[in-house]
Amino acid sequence: MEPMSERPHSACLRNGRAEAGVVLLVVLIVLVLMSLAAASVIRSTDTGTLVAGNLAFRQATMYAGDIAINRAVEELQSGAYTARTYYRSVFYFKDAAGKPNFKDAGRIASDAIWESTAVPCIDENGRATNCAIDTGNYRIQYVIERQCKSDPVLTDGEDIRSKCTVDPETVALAAADAFAKKSGTTVPPIEATKLDVYYRVIIRARGPRGGVNFYEAMLAAKAQPGP
């Protein structure tokens, strides 16, 4: 005759094994989910580090491009810009209507002028370098574009005003000066030498990791070269 407790004991063993199997399955699922979460965190960290690095390189390229603005300011003040092959006395980057192009960045970036010898290449220290060779350093080019639709008569203030984008503050001062010199009811014309015209400096700066960035600055200077 079989003992009364044998069957319940066997059932308990089977139930215990089934529960252990379920627990093991749950643990495995949790481990898989934790592994996926860890991989996601690592990937996210790597992506964040890469993005931060690219932003840092881009920022450094922008700072390196400041050398172009500094040189352009010096050239505009001395009048040396007129002898430069990268100077344009009228709108160069313009749209179909002949107006200055401020929106089509792709067209400016792809313009062949950047690959021509007319636009010299310098490094972040202002030394001449070869833009065709990527040495891992900064390569900077710039073009000075006078904001005029056509070449004005440089001795005629009214002609300059009609053809160029002029600093309104200098127009007001020049007009006040002309009014102060009036004879009777006759007000002399605005003097050209008192007007400042806007010049746009377009910069292409290339840096490490093949980064290429374009910047521009608007400067005001005399329509006539020199102080």
Side-chain angles (χ1 to χ4, degrees):
M1 186 174 181
E2 295 181 356
M4 297 296 292
S5 60
E6 185 174 339
R7 289 183 179 177
H9 180 69
S10 299
C12 288
L13 287 175
R14 286 194 298 271
N15 290 339
R17 289 170 184 167
E19 290 176 0
V22 171
V23 170
L24 179 60
L25 180 62
V26 171
V27 169
L28 289 175
I29 292 173
V30 171
L31 286 174
V32 170
L33 293 176
M34 290 178 66
S35 298
L36 292 175
S40 177
V41 170
I42 293 172
R43 185 178 181 85
S44 176
T45 301
D46 290 343
T47 302
T49 302
L50 182 61
V51 170
N54 288 339
L55 288 174
F57 277 117
R58 183 174 183 179
Q59 193 78 2
T61 303
M62 182 179 70
Y63 290 143
D66 285 348
I67 186 67
I69 298 177
N70 294 335
R71 290 186 61 160
V73 169
E74 293 174 359
E75 292 172 358
L76 289 171
Q77 289 176 342
S78 67
Y81 65 95
T82 57
R84 303 294 192 244
T85 54
Y86 47 84
Y87 166 64
R88 300 294 182 268
S89 62
V90 297
F91 300 135
Y92 177 79
F93 296 105
K94 55 188 177 183
D95 57 23
K99 297 181 180 180
N101 183 347
F102 292 108
K103 296 181 180 179
D104 192 354
R107 185 176 172 186
I108 293 175
S110 62
D111 198 283
I113 190 172
W114 302 112
E115 308 305 331
S116 72
T117 56
V119 182
C121 186
I122 58 176
D123 62 17
E124 66 274 20
N125 297 312
R127 294 188 296 260
T129 188
N130 188 348
C131 266
I133 302 175
D134 185 0
T135 61
N137 295 324
Y138 295 101
R139 294 168 291 160
I140 302 159
Q141 296 170 284
Y142 65 99
V143 173
I144 299 176
E145 178 191 78
R146 187 170 64 185
Q147 299 299 283
C148 298
K149 58 186 178 182
S150 60
D151 287 318
V153 177
L154 295 178
T155 57
D156 188 336
E158 292 301 329
D159 195 53
I160 292 173
R161 289 183 62 189
S162 66
K163 294 179 179 177
C164 303
T165 304
V166 183
D167 181 356
E169 184 176 350
T170 62
V171 173
L173 293 174
D177 182 72
F179 185 80
K181 296 176 180 178
K182 71 176 182 177
S183 176
T185 58
T186 303
V187 179
I190 290 176
E191 295 181 33
T193 56
K194 297 186 180 296
L195 296 177
D196 281 357
V197 173
Y198 283 116
Y199 295 78
R200 184 163 63 140
V201 182
I202 305 100
I203 304 161
R204 180 171 81 163
R206 289 184 281 185
R209 295 187 179 180
V212 182
N213 297 291
F214 288 82
Y215 310 100
E216 66 177 41
M218 199 69 76
L219 306 175
K222 300 299 180 187
Q224 296 190 73

